[in-house]
Amino acid sequence: MGGSLAGLLAAHVLAGHADRVTVVERDRFPEGVKPRPGVPQGRHPHVLLEGGQSALESLLPGFLGELEAAGAPRVGMPSDLVLWQDRRWFRRLPATTHIHTGSRAQLEGLVRRRVLANPVISAVEGTDVTGLLGDASRVRGVLLRDRAGDARGEHRALEADLVVDASGGGTKAPQWLTAIGAEAPHEETIDTGLAYASRLYRGPSGFLDGDTAGYYVYPSPAQTHAGGVLPLEDGTHLVIVSGLRGDEPPTADMDFDAYTRKLPHPLLHQWLDKAEPLSPAFGFRQSTNIRRRYDLAARHPAGFLATGDALCTFNPVYGQGMAVAAMSAVALRDALAHPRRTPGTRRVQRALLAASRQAWDISAGADRKMPGAIGTAVGTGPADRAADWYLRRVQARYPGDPVVGRAFRSVLTLSAPITALFAPSVARAVLFGPPPMTPAEPPAAREE
């Protein structure tokens, strides 16, 4: 259920274990690189973190070469960006990780072309899933309805040995499970009320008068406004600004430009004065972190799995969604191929949850500290407070310390476990070293 990244990559994995895999998608897949209505954040900046790059390359060998050949910018961190957080400019040290900042539509289109070329996989487009077939012990398929017809039109059944919910954060599967006598998952939520708006521009030549790909101000409890500019594959740039509940960014043209003055430095506003707008501004306000704990449900039927945003939805500002979709598909592949363990529904669902755990810890951990955060998972215990103390020291050092910065970026990009922050060389710098000096002004050039 769902033909976005999580659904396509799950279908790709399942094609190695099934006679037939059907992807049911409510949209019609576009021709060319165009946003889909079913991806409401598709017009906003997306990044593919290093953990997601490794996962995609593992699933679809040669994919990263295709992505770069299509022009997706490969941006070195921290060398290629001017970054600010917590009243500090980052040193532009040599890159220890890279992100892809091309459009979501481009990346999804490349994945879709590769996956749907498999004759085992077929797509049913323009079709809604309206319910599940089966009972509390086993899901046996789905009910479908053509979106082109009457809303009260005829339903048809599509039987299946396994149903995978990849329908996104707005999934209705919990209600459908309840309707067949199963148990809906417990939901953990953290909502900061963050909203953002994005607009497409053609930037001036000589951006920042140096070898710079973009600019970004990260949010923090002390600085709740965030934003920046990132490059796309066609040479244009996406500008994004964000704020919390009650101070949401506007989408009217002049008001959007004026909102950038709320950032702690006029750099972005100065860039906009010289840039050419190519689109209206688009807003987005669905930023709640939601984790659905199917692993805890007492009455969880066989034959049903959830993945992607249908399992764990992250605040998009952290750029984790595409990476976790790919990492979840790797977890599905590995669980199904395990040589000694039978891949039962509950076991595989736990593996999918584990694939998203680090991203959840990062996103939820940061958001629960933001002012005005609400939800069922905002509380902290003694262990959380001890971890927060250590992480505050990490964050004070990583803008300017090469050792701490490398470790922290590897964790944030999901390419190393959180334990990397406790390696001896990192712990020494965090516990005993003073916060290093950082630039007083936006650094226009990389450090050698």
Side-chain angles (χ1 to χ4, degrees), residues 93-146:
L93 296 162
T96 61
T97 188
H98 291 79
I99 59 174
H100 282 278
T101 65
S103 67
R104 165 66 179 263
Q106 180 197 56
L107 190 142
E108 187 178 295
L110 290 172
V111 170
R112 185 166 60 244
R113 184 180 67 187
R114 287 281 298 269
V115 170
L116 296 185
N118 188 332
V120 173
I121 302 171
S122 61
V124 177
E125 303 174 52
T127 300
D128 283 323
V129 177
T130 59
L132 299 173
L133 301 173
D135 52 38
S137 64
R138 172 170 286 278
V139 170
R140 294 180 172 84
V142 293
L143 288 171
L144 304 181
R145 183 178 60 210
D146 190 339

Side-chain angles (χ1 to χ4, degrees), residues 32-355:
V33 180
K34 297 177 183 177
R36 290 191 295 111
V39 185
Q41 74 276 35
R43 297 181 183 274
H44 300 277
H46 281 71
V47 298
L48 180 62
L49 304 178
E50 190 168 309
Q53 295 170 38
S54 299
L56 270 170
E57 188 68 16
S58 173
L59 293 163
L60 303 171
F63 182 81
L64 293 182
E66 292 182 27
L67 192 60
E68 291 191 41
R74 185 172 181 264
V75 177
M77 299 281 283
S79 59
D80 296 346
L81 295 177
V82 174
L83 301 171
W84 189 98
Q85 187 174 31
D86 283 335
R87 299 179 293 278
R88 293 172 184 264
W89 294 104
F90 285 53
R91 292 176 61 188
R92 294 181 62 181
L93 296 162
T96 61
T97 188
H98 291 79
I99 59 174
H100 282 278
T101 65
S103 67
R104 165 66 179 263
Q106 180 197 56
L107 190 142
E108 187 178 295
L110 290 172
V111 170
R112 185 166 60 244
R113 184 180 67 187
R114 287 281 298 269
V115 170
L116 296 185
N118 188 332
V120 173
I121 302 171
S122 61
V124 177
E125 303 174 52
T127 300
D128 283 323
V129 177
T130 59
L132 299 173
L133 301 173
D135 52 38
S137 64
R138 172 170 286 278
V139 170
R140 294 180 172 84
V142 293
L143 288 171
L144 304 181
R145 183 178 60 210
D146 190 339
R147 299 193 78 218
D150 189 308
R152 298 183 299 276
E154 182 180 351
H155 292 73
R156 67 184 188 276
L158 175 62
E159 294 184 354
D161 297 305
L162 175 67
V163 172
V164 179
D165 181 15
S167 59
T171 177
K172 297 179 180 177
Q175 299 96 297
W176 296 337
L177 287 167
T178 301
I180 62 171
E183 183 178 343
H186 169 68
E187 292 189 354
E188 300 171 334
T189 63
I190 300 176
D191 178 18
T192 64
L194 181 135
Y196 54 89
S198 304
R199 194 179 186 192
L200 185 66
Y201 287 84
R202 189 174 305 282
S205 60
F207 180 69
L208 296 177
D209 298 319
D211 191 7
T212 302
Y215 163 68
Y216 207 85
V217 169
Y218 291 109
S220 71
Q223 167 60 42
T224 57
H225 295 102
V229 53
L230 293 172
L232 294 177
E233 62 270 12
D234 60 359
T236 61
H237 292 80
L238 266 175
V239 172
I240 182 172
V241 287
S242 66
L244 299 187
R245 189 182 294 108
D247 191 16
E248 295 87 351
T251 55
D253 292 351
M254 296 302 294
D255 293 339
F256 177 87
D257 290 357
Y259 194 88
T260 63
R261 293 186 182 275
K262 297 191 175 191
L263 298 181
H265 192 279
L267 185 58
L268 180 58
H269 190 79
Q270 292 167 356
W271 185 86
L272 289 180
D273 282 344
K274 300 176 184 178
E276 174 192 1
L278 301 178
S279 77
F282 296 92
F284 188 76
R285 298 191 178 189
Q286 300 169 22
S287 61
T288 304
N289 301 280
I290 305 172
R291 182 160 65 169
R292 298 177 176 90
R293 299 301 303 269
Y294 285 103
D295 58 311
L296 302 179
R299 300 190 312 280
H300 184 67
F304 176 87
L305 297 171
T307 190
D309 281 1
L311 176 62
C312 200
T313 306
F314 311 99
N315 184 339
V317 76
Y318 301 108
Q320 301 166 314
M322 296 196 302
V324 172
M327 294 168 70
S328 297
V330 169
L332 177 63
R333 180 195 66 189
D334 293 348
L336 295 178
H338 198 286
R340 294 183 303 277
R341 294 180 178 175
T342 302
T345 300
R346 190 175 294 273
R347 184 184 298 279
V348 176
Q349 188 65 78
R350 287 173 177 164
L352 291 169
L353 185 72

Side-chain angles (χ1 to χ4, degrees), residues 8-44:
L8 289 168
L9 293 174
H12 171 73
V13 169
L14 293 170
H17 300 269
D19 297 324
R20 182 177 70 254
V21 179
T22 305
V23 177
V24 181
E25 170 54 46
R26 69 192 307 271
D27 287 338
R28 293 282 178 184
F29 291 130
E31 296 291 335
V33 180
K34 297 177 183 177
R36 290 191 295 111
V39 185
Q41 74 276 35
R43 297 181 183 274
H44 300 277

Side-chain angles (χ1 to χ4, degrees), residues 362-441:
I362 293 169
S363 181
D367 275 6
R368 64 165 53 100
K369 301 183 187 74
M370 297 297 284
I374 58 175
T376 63
V378 295
T380 58
D384 295 314
R385 290 190 286 273
D388 287 346
W389 176 86
Y390 187 84
L391 286 173
R392 283 195 298 271
R393 296 182 68 86
V394 170
Q395 290 173 318
R397 288 157 178 78
Y398 97 102
D401 186 303
V403 174
V404 178
R406 174 189 288 272
F408 199 43
R409 281 188 293 275
S410 71
V411 171
L412 293 177
T413 59
L414 308 178
S415 56
I418 289 177
T419 52
L421 299 179
F422 301 94
S425 59
V426 179
R428 280 195 298 271
V430 170
L431 295 174
F432 305 115
M437 295 293 293
T438 53
E441 295 295 328

